[in-house]
């Protein structure tokens, strides 16, 4: 027995074989390793050379100290992809905000008076300049905005909602549940497919605080259906002196080139003209900025939101404010190139075709690339069922699932369609083509090697 255990290396000696590692973690890994090794030896397991032990520990250390977040290539054709981090920042925007983030700043300080300032005041001017909205408030995300608004204005009071708009968006955010948690009382009206203005009118009573409308971000009701428009709801709310609130989901500026969007979704400028009480939307969906919930509307209501203690829990960081400010400034100056979400959505068909050709030229012929017309999507809950024309490269391979996985393992996220892996060019960023080429060359080499071993027979043609 003793004989076997003498093969176990000393902790000190193992520790000396490493440098540049976190000492506490390394010790823990070594202890765990030695315990397992001892057990294995006692059960008749093989003896390991010292070097082998070091290698095992190194592998374990490496595995445990990998960063979890990594960059990916979005070849799905969905520009605002919630699973892939939604809107991307450009280098220009990051460079612009860097001096702010790497220094102290006036986040909550009024330089002129030398007194404490208002963190929420920073974006007011820019929003007013861009939209002409009375006032604005920015919170952590749009879900937080919805919660804050219900909690502030409808605690123990009724909120009237159409049964066709009791939405669930991703991440199990369900309007009825959010309302309940916020203390608001849900008053459903209409049916799943049809709601009339009369349904709202009849539901209003002295306990009603608000008429609420939610954007149908991820579904459509077609056929025998009717919903009440935002404009009508605003007039009714005004007439009855209650609040109207529209959870818009994804707000965007109606800039030239986004006509396809504007056909189905009202741009922010148009919504502001309706003079609503409150509207909220996400900062990192079509707007293309940072994760945030942007609330705009009448000053008196925004003031009340600011008085809610909850706001302290939902408040945004300087990074968010700086990134949003830079994004709004780019809108103001018409520099849409600086906002990747805008740039990707504004690409012309010719541009996309050219990019597809460029990518095509880089792809190893083994994958039998073909340029195909594709349907891409804006994502982020706008126009869920309306495609934007795009192009992609279809790749053929014995097993498309295997190829999709091999690409995914190398950080390239495509999709499978009719037995082929499609790499859509719509949401590709600068340099992605070359990275795709490199990955495919590596995959090719890997497959050649596998075939030479006789392994990949199932996948090779
Ligand atoms: C996306 C969305 C939200 C949630 O916004 P987040 O910024 O993700 O918190 C809420 N309501 C609607 C209608 C949405 O589309």
């Amino acid at each position: 027995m003793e004989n076997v255990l003498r093969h176990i290396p000393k902790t000190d000696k193992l520790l000396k074989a490493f440098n540049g590692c976190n000492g506490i973690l390394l010790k823990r890994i070594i202890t765990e390793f030695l315990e397992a090794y001892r057990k294995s030896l006692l059960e008749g397991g093989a003896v390991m050379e010292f070097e082998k032990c070091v290698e095992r520990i190194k592998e374990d250390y490496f595995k445990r100290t990998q960063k979890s977040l990594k960059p990916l290539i979005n070849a799905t054709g969905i520009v605002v992809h919630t699973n892939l981090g939604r809107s991307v920042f450009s280098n220009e925007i990051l460079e612009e905000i860097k001096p702010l983030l790497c220094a102290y700043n006036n986040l909550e300080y009024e330089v002129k008076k030398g007194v404490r300032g208002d963190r929420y005041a920073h974006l007011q001017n820019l929003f007013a300049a861009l939209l002409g909205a009375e006032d604005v408030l920015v919170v952590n995300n749009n879900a937080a905005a919805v919660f804050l608004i219900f909690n502030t204005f409808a605690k123990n009071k009724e909120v009237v909602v159409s049964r066709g708009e009791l939405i669930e968006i991703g991440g199990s955010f369900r309007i009825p549940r959010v309302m309940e948690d916020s203390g608001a009382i849900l008053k459903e009206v209409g049916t799943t497919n049809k709601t009339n203005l009369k349904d709202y009118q009849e539901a209003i009573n002295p306990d009603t605080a608000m008429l609420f409308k939610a954007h149908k971000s991820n579904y459509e009701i077609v056929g025998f259906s009717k919903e009440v428009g935002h404009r009508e709801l605003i007039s009714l709310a005004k007439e009855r002196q209650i609040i109207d609130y529209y959870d818009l989901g994804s707000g965007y500026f109606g800039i030239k080139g986004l006509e396809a969007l504007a056909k189905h979704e009202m741009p922010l400028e148009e919504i502001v003209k309706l003079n609503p009480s409150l509207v909220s939307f996400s900062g990192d969906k079509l707007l293309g900025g940072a994760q945030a919930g942007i609330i705009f509307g009448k000053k008196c209501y925004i003031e009340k939101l600011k008085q809610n203690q909850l706001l302290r829990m939902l408040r945004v960081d300087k990074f968010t404010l700086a990134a949003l400010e830079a994004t709004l400034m780019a809108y103001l100056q018409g520099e849409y190139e600086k906002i990747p979400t805008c740039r990707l959505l504004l690409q012309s068909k010719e541009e996309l075709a050219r990019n597809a050709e460029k990518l095509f030229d880089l792809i190893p012929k083994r994958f039998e690339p073909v340029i195909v017309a594709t349907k891409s999507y804006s994502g982020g809950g706008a126009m869920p069922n309306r495609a934007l024309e795009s192009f992609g490269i279809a790749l053929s391979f014995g097993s498309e699932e295997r190829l999709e996985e091999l690409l995914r393992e190398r950080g390239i996220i495509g999709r499978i369609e009719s037995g082929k892996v499609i790499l859509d060019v719509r949401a590709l960023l600068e340099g992605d083509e070359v990275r795709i080429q490199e990955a495919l060359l590596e995959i090719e080499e890997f497959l050649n090697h596998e075939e030479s071993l006789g392994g990949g027979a199932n996948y090779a043609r």
Side-chain angles (χ1 to χ4, degrees), residues 64-94:
R64 295 199 210 189
T65 52
Q66 283 307 290
K67 276 189 180 158
S68 175
L69 281 166
K70 31 183 157 281
L72 295 177
I73 290 175
N74 178 1
T76 64
I78 299 166
V79 175
V80 181
H81 197 307
T82 292
N83 300 151
L84 306 184
R86 287 202 185 157
S87 283
V88 171
F89 291 112
S90 63
N91 277 321
E92 288 104 312
I93 297 273
L94 279 190

Side-chain angles (χ1 to χ4, degrees), residues 86 141-144 146 167 169 173 214-215 217 247-250 282-285 291-292 380-381:
R86 287 202 185 157
N141 53 28
N142 191 29
V146 175
I167 59 166
I169 54 166
F173 178 91
H215 184 268
S217 295
D247 170 15
L248 181 60
S250 192
S282 298
D284 58 350
K285 288 185 177 170
Q291 180 193 298

Side-chain angles (χ1 to χ4, degrees), residues 161-382:
V161 195
S162 158
R163 289 198 170 88
E165 292 173 11
L166 291 173
I167 59 166
E168 167 171 334
I169 54 166
S172 67
F173 178 91
R174 293 177 156 192
I175 287 293
R177 186 61 205 272
V178 173
M179 221 178 260
E180 192 183 323
D181 290 350
S182 73
I185 301 160
L186 170 64
K187 179 87 180 172
E188 302 174 29
V189 296
T191 60
T192 305
N193 54 328
K194 274 204 170 196
T195 305
N196 293 303
L197 190 64
K198 196 157 171 276
D199 297 319
Y200 288 93
Q201 283 165 338
E202 286 172 3
I204 297 173
N205 67 65
D207 286 333
T208 307
M210 180 185 289
L211 302 183
F212 173 69
K213 188 167 177 63
H215 184 268
K216 292 197 277 296
S217 295
N218 46 11
Y219 67 103
E220 251 183 324
I221 299 177
V222 294
F224 187 64
S225 66
K226 182 173 188 316
E227 69 172 290
V228 177
H230 190 200
R231 190 189 304 268
E232 291 167 273
L233 272 198
I234 293 172
S235 327
L236 178 59
K238 249 187 212 121
E239 189 188 308
R240 301 292 189 93
Q241 299 188 330
I242 49 179
I243 296 172
D244 55 85
Y245 166 40
Y246 188 11
D247 170 15
L248 181 60
S250 192
Y252 74 102
F253 291 109
I255 58 182
K256 199 170 166 313
L258 292 186
E259 287 81 8
L261 269 173
K263 234 194 278 175
H264 307 286
E265 314 260 356
M266 221 191 260
L268 290 166
E269 303 89 310
E270 297 295 316
I271 293 173
V272 169
K273 279 190 206 148
L274 301 176
N275 201 13
S277 309
L278 289 168
V279 176
S280 73
F281 64 99
S282 298
D284 58 350
K285 288 185 177 170
L286 285 183
L287 191 79
Q291 180 193 298
I294 300 170
I295 306 167
F296 68 85
K298 301 236 168 71
K299 199 166 191 68
C300 57
Y301 298 131
I302 300 282
E303 283 302 325
K304 277 216 77 179
L305 289 173
K306 285 188 184 171
Q307 284 158 22
N308 190 332
Q309 273 294 311
L310 246 182
L311 185 59
R312 181 63 179 77
M313 278 74 95
L314 309 175
R315 83 176 186 188
V316 281
D317 169 50
K318 58 183 175 296
F319 183 91
T320 305
L321 288 171
L324 280 177
E325 187 177 59
T327 305
L328 293 175
M329 195 57 104
Y331 273 113
L332 194 71
Q333 296 172 336
E335 297 172 326
Y336 310 128
E337 290 290 305
K338 277 190 186 172
I339 308 164
T341 296
C342 271
R343 187 173 57 71
L344 297 174
L345 287 172
L346 289 171
Q347 292 172 106
S348 67
K349 206 174 162 189
E350 292 71 36
E351 226 175 319
L352 291 163
R354 265 200 311 277
N355 291 344
E357 269 161 42
K358 255 193 253 162
L359 178 58
F360 171 85
D361 288 341
L362 294 174
I363 290 183
K365 297 299 164 251
R366 156 172 196 147
F367 299 103
E368 301 170 32
V370 184
I371 298 179
V372 290
T374 58
K375 289 180 177 8
S376 67
Y377 295 88
S378 68

Side-chain angles (χ1 to χ4, degrees), residues 366 443-456:
R366 156 172 196 147
I443 291 171
E444 187 175 34
E445 200 172 303
F446 171 79
L447 293 170
N448 286 342
H449 180 68
E450 201 177 63
E451 276 161 31
S452 75
L453 295 175

Side-chain angles (χ1 to χ4, degrees), residues 9-21 26 30 50-51 53-55 57-58:
K10 291 268 173 297
T11 303
D12 280 351
K13 196 174 164 208
L14 280 170
L15 277 170
K16 279 201 192 97
F18 293 87
N19 48 45
C21 289
L26 187 60
I30 289 176
F50 181 76
E51 279 68 33
C53 295
V54 170
E55 198 182 305
I57 293 164
K58 213 176 255 174

